[in-house]
Amino acid sequence: MPARAMPARSSHSGPHYTPCPIVQKDFTEADVADMKDKLDALITAIEAHPQLTSDPAKNAPRALFFTWDFIRRTEFNLSKVNVPALVANDEDALESYNDCLGRMVLSSLIIEDPVKCAMITQNEPVDFGDEVRAKVADLLSRDE
């Protein structure tokens, strides 16, 4: 039997690529500003956690440090989204923004579920507290 040629692989094609079925479009500048505000509020709540010390890389529980760092990186990634291109439904901008949305969903899983926190961070789970849980719930809510 002759060997089948494998299709060329890129980041958006190939036999293992499945497009995300929930890619959203038609964002506004207000959507991005709202998301930045909500991320900032979440980061502030996490930074108020009593176990997040002045040197979190050395002293904080690993799951808390990982989550804090992950969400700060999400905020940084969001700051790099080309908002005018996003509003115009540019494919690259949509991909970047939707990546941030996916990171926010993962952040929610880590914060709201101790078992998932332990599995994802590969560390002991952390009780993030009611304030952080409220901010992550707000992060994923859509103001209508």
Side-chain angles (χ1 to χ4, degrees), residues 9-30:
R9 294 186 83 166
S10 73
S11 62
H12 300 292
S13 66
H16 303 289
Y17 175 72
T18 304
C20 179
I22 58 168
V23 171
Q24 299 179 25
K25 295 183 178 185
D26 301 321
F27 293 103
T28 66
E29 290 182 26

Side-chain angles (χ1 to χ4, degrees), residues 9 16 27 29-30 33 42 46 56-57 74 82 85 88 117 124 126 140-141:
R9 294 186 83 166
H16 303 289
F27 293 103
E29 290 182 26
L42 176 59
I46 292 172
T74 302
N82 181 336
C117 175
E124 291 296 315
V126 170
L140 298 177
S141 69

Side-chain angles (χ1 to χ4, degrees), residues 41-94:
L42 176 59
I43 291 168
T44 299
I46 292 172
E47 288 175 345
H49 193 283
Q51 290 182 289
L52 196 65
T53 62
S54 60
D55 191 1
K58 290 184 181 177
N59 300 321
R62 298 308 300 159
L64 179 61
F65 173 75
F66 166 81
T67 305
W68 171 72
D69 185 60
F70 184 79
I71 294 170
R72 286 185 49 189
R73 174 56 63 176
T74 302
E75 182 183 47
F76 175 78
N77 292 353
L78 184 60
S79 75
K80 297 300 180 189
V81 172
N82 181 336
V83 177
L86 178 68
V87 171
N89 288 323
D90 174 78
E91 190 174 316
D92 290 337
L94 285 168

Side-chain angles (χ1 to χ4, degrees), residues 10 65 111 115 122:
S10 73
F65 173 75
I111 291 169
V115 173
Q122 297 180 0

